[in-house]
Amino acid sequence: MLTLWIPASHPRRESLLIREKLVDGFKRGLVVPEGLIAHGRGECFDYLIGESTQPFAIRAIEAAVAALLLAKHPVISVNGNTAALVPRDIVELAREVNAKIEVNLFHRTREREEAIAKWLKEHGAVEVLGVGEDASATIPELFSERRRVSPRGILVADVVLVPLEDGDRTEALRKMGKTVIAIDLNPLSRTARAATITIVDNVVRSLPLMVVKAREMKNLDKSRLEEILRNYNNNSTLQEALKYMLSRLKELSESKLTLFWEEK
Amino acid sequence: MLTLWIPASHPRRESLLIREKLVDGFKRGLVVPEGLIAHGRGECFDYLIGESTQPFAIRAIEAAVAALLLAKHPVISVNGNTAALVPRDIVELAREVNAKIEVNLFHRTREREEAIAKWLKEHGAVEVLGVGEDASATIPELFSERRRVSPRGILVADVVLVPLEDGDRTEALRKMGKTVIAIDLNPLSRTARAATITIVDNVVRSLPLMVVKAREMKNLDKSRLEEILRNYNNNSTLQEALKYMLSRLKELSESKLTLFWEEK
């Protein structure tokens, strides 16, 4: 397969480089074909938010970091796409907020669990839960391999960060009483709507920003962190994200769209 | 890899079945990983047009069929995703409008050209251009393997149907003076904006509809076909598609979005 040479001036350069990173993760056995399709879906929504981190995402990131810092047992749940795109940032965030890292796959195979754990360790992770025998606990309301979690990780977590998770699992975690932080570019997805805090942003921008915020915010008083969390409203976040996409589409729909000369 | 069992009641059933078809095409060597990502991107825009063929797409389809029926040398350019999703419809449309079929790949390899040609022939194609030595001509302004076309096909075509094409190639074909018909779910893509006629619809719905329209319209007078083409305005199509997406997003943004109970 070819790796494309992408000119520095290409209007979609950034997006194409991320895409190549994911295809690389696919070749390494971290990502499944379904993960590539899901990524494309995200690309479209990223385009609609202008491929940059908007204020509604920054507020969600602050609330998320507050929740992680206040948590007794925070866990970062990692799937193939997240591992392929931001392995180092996952490890750094886990270190800053003292969270465990757990592999949690929709299409679970032993090979892929191990490939992801190995990849995360190459990027500095000391311990990776949810691999093989460690994923011996189950969460209610989910079927087959998707219900398996680590008894030292997601099972006992009070706060779970799920970048790029599916709706069923997000709902199941909420029903278990956990605080769920999702990173999802689609504000209309069931994941986005079921999570406690939804960061509507690309994981390649928001995870590094979470690391920076964690370093800043870990010096804050507990009462200040609680205040940030209390003042956060996820429904407003989702509505603002949609409104922003709306305003971008509106602006574009009023301009001339065709690129070639036409009579009319 | 797993094939998922999808309940008949699943809200995303249709979309998931199409996805499985594409993953199957991937396993057959027709589709590349980048094609899976591109498909995901389309899915999102499809969601925004309600996963159904809208009036702006039907008007574009009629203009497209008129252009194909009026053409001296119509060609249907086929890539991996199109071949995986609608092989039979490509063959039938080619037959109805008397068009040639040409394989045209962004990530061109001999194996893939041949796999796609074989797949199309299994679905009834008699001749498939653009494979191996046949792709000996080049089109200006494009680099490397992407510039190769058949001297009996795209090179001499006056009308080219390019389902799921990239922007560079669409622009290059326009600059050669050809009428380009694109099928693209993203009305903001460079392909959509550079094409002469843009069908903003899913290829799995629009290609079968083009076959039906071709059967109806081939009995029309030449002057009537010319009139349909003359009255068509692509900028309006793109604006209407965007406005429709806008209205769907607007409606959604005004409803309550979070799924779980919250204090505020």
Side-chain angles (χ1 to χ4, degrees):
Chain A
M1 252 156 315
L2 305 167
T3 293
L4 293 175
W5 173 80
I6 306 163
S9 62
H10 194 290
R12 307 214 44 74
R13 181 179 162 80
E14 193 59 36
S15 167
L16 293 175
L17 289 175
I18 299 171
R19 207 181 260 199
E20 287 302 305
K21 206 179 253 188
L22 204 72
V23 171
D24 182 64
F26 173 73
K27 292 175 194 164
R28 289 176 189 276
L30 311 175
V31 172
V32 285
E34 289 80 358
L36 297 175
I37 297 179
H39 177 78
R41 233 177 137 93
E43 274 187 2
C44 153
F45 287 101
D46 201 14
Y47 183 81
L48 291 178
I49 60 164
E51 289 170 336
S52 61
T53 304
Q54 299 301 328
F56 50 80
I58 292 173
R59 279 202 304 281
I61 284 171
E62 286 169 350
V65 170
L68 286 166
L69 288 170
L70 288 166
K72 281 203 177 63
H73 301 292
V75 172
I76 304 176
S77 172
V78 179
N79 70 358
N81 284 24
T82 311
L85 293 174
V86 282
R88 202 171 302 278
D89 303 291
I90 291 165
V91 174
E92 286 186 26
L93 182 61
R95 193 177 298 142
E96 294 300 334
V97 302
N98 206 15
K100 294 200 181 301
I101 297 173
E102 176 166 343
V103 176
N104 205 266
L105 306 179
F106 191 95
H107 300 277
R108 194 183 265 280
T109 64
R110 182 68 181 252
E111 295 68 38
R112 208 151 74 90
E113 289 169 11
E114 282 171 0
I116 291 170
K118 183 168 167 279
W119 176 250
L120 291 171
K121 284 177 180 167
E122 283 169 21
H123 289 82
V126 176
E127 188 187 32
V128 179
L129 302 177
V131 179
E133 309 311 313
D134 183 57
S136 58
T138 58
I139 52 177
E141 303 190 55
L142 289 178
F143 299 106
S144 71
E145 294 300 285
R146 293 170 57 203
R147 66 194 300 170
R148 286 174 54 200
V149 292
S150 168
R152 296 184 297 138
I154 290 174
L155 188 74
V156 295
D158 51 349
V159 178
V160 190
L161 170 62
V162 290
L164 318 177
E165 187 52 271
D166 74 285
D168 284 344
R169 210 142 48 182
T170 305
E171 286 194 15
L173 294 173
R174 278 305 295 276
K175 284 179 186 160
M176 290 172 81
K178 299 179 192 300
T179 295
V180 180
I181 302 160
I183 304 178
D184 194 326
L185 278 158
N186 176 3
L188 295 169
S189 76
R190 217 143 45 84
T191 302
R193 298 174 65 188
T196 321
I197 298 168
T198 307
I199 300 164
V200 182
D201 196 19
N202 194 320
V203 80
V204 305
R205 293 188 302 268
S206 47
L207 261 179
L209 190 52
M210 287 179 86
V211 175
V212 172
K213 287 280 175 188
R215 280 179 192 141
E216 280 171 28
M217 289 169 63
K218 69 180 174 184
N219 301 314
L220 294 179
D221 289 342
K222 197 179 162 212
S223 63
R224 177 67 191 117
L225 294 174
E226 285 166 346
E227 194 190 338
I228 290 170
L229 205 49
R230 206 166 44 237
N231 290 335
Y232 179 77
N233 181 324
N234 210 42
N235 195 52
S236 305
T237 292
L238 298 178
Q239 286 188 333
E240 273 180 54
L242 270 176
K243 279 190 185 133
Y244 186 78
M245 293 178 181
L246 205 63
S247 67
R248 289 248 313 159
L249 273 179
K250 194 165 152 56
E251 205 174 288
L252 291 161
S253 72
E254 283 159 2
S255 57
K256 182 174 179 295
L257 292 166
T258 44
L259 295 175
F260 283 79
W261 177 87
E262 285 180 303
E263 274 182 272
K264 42 216 163 193
Chain B
M1 253 153 320
L2 306 167
T3 294
L4 293 175
W5 174 79
I6 306 162
S9 62
H10 194 291
R12 308 212 47 72
R13 182 179 162 80
E14 194 58 38
S15 166
L16 292 174
L17 289 174
I18 299 170
R19 201 182 267 198
E20 287 302 305
K21 207 180 253 187
L22 204 72
V23 171
D24 181 65
F26 173 73
K27 291 174 194 165
R28 289 177 189 275
L30 311 174
V31 171
V32 286
E34 289 81 357
L36 296 177
I37 299 180
H39 177 77
R41 216 176 149 100
E43 274 186 3
C44 155
F45 286 101
D46 201 13
Y47 179 81
L48 292 178
I49 59 164
E51 288 169 337
S52 61
T53 304
Q54 300 300 328
F56 51 79
I58 293 173
R59 279 202 304 282
I61 284 172
E62 286 169 349
V65 170
L68 287 166
L69 287 169
L70 289 166
K72 282 205 179 60
H73 301 291
V75 172
I76 304 176
S77 171
V78 179
N79 70 0
N81 285 23
T82 312
L85 293 175
V86 283
R88 202 171 303 277
D89 303 291
I90 292 164
V91 174
E92 285 185 26
L93 181 62
R95 192 177 298 142
E96 293 300 333
V97 303
N98 207 16
K100 293 200 182 299
I101 297 173
E102 176 167 343
V103 176
N104 205 265
L105 306 179
F106 191 96
H107 300 276
R108 193 184 265 279
T109 64
R110 182 69 181 251
E111 295 69 35
R112 208 151 75 89
E113 289 168 11
E114 282 171 0
I116 291 170
K118 183 167 166 279
W119 176 250
L120 292 171
K121 283 177 181 167
E122 281 169 21
H123 288 83
V126 177
E127 187 187 34
V128 179
L129 302 177
V131 178
E133 310 310 314
D134 183 57
S136 58
T138 59
I139 51 178
E141 304 190 54
L142 289 178
F143 299 106
S144 71
E145 293 300 286
R146 294 171 56 203
R147 65 193 301 170
R148 288 173 52 200
V149 291
S150 167
R152 295 184 297 137
I154 291 174
L155 188 74
V156 294
D158 51 349
V159 178
V160 190
L161 169 62
V162 288
L164 317 177
E165 187 53 272
D166 75 284
D168 284 345
R169 209 140 52 179
T170 305
E171 285 194 15
L173 294 173
R174 279 304 297 274
K175 284 179 188 159
M176 289 171 83
K178 298 180 193 302
T179 295
V180 180
I181 302 161
I183 304 179
D184 194 327
L185 278 158
N186 176 4
L188 295 169
S189 75
R190 217 143 44 84
T191 303
R193 298 174 65 186
T196 320
I197 298 168
T198 307
I199 300 164
V200 181
D201 196 19
N202 195 319
V203 81
V204 304
R205 293 188 303 269
S206 48
L207 261 179
L209 191 53
M210 287 180 85
V211 175
V212 172
K213 288 280 176 190
R215 281 181 191 138
E216 282 171 27
M217 289 169 64
K218 71 180 173 183
N219 301 313
L220 295 178
D221 288 343
K222 198 180 161 208
S223 62
R224 176 66 190 117
L225 294 174
E226 285 165 346
E227 195 190 336
I228 290 170
L229 206 50
R230 205 166 44 236
N231 290 336
Y232 179 77
N233 181 323
N234 210 41
N235 196 51
S236 305
T237 292
L238 298 177
Q239 286 188 332
E240 274 180 53
L242 271 176
K243 280 190 183 130
Y244 186 78
M245 292 179 183
L246 199 65
S247 67
R248 289 250 314 160
L249 269 180
K250 196 164 151 57
E251 207 173 286
L252 291 161
S253 73
E254 283 159 3
S255 56
K256 181 172 180 295
L257 293 167
T258 44
L259 294 176
F260 282 79
W261 177 87
E262 284 179 304
E263 275 183 272
K264 45 219 161 191

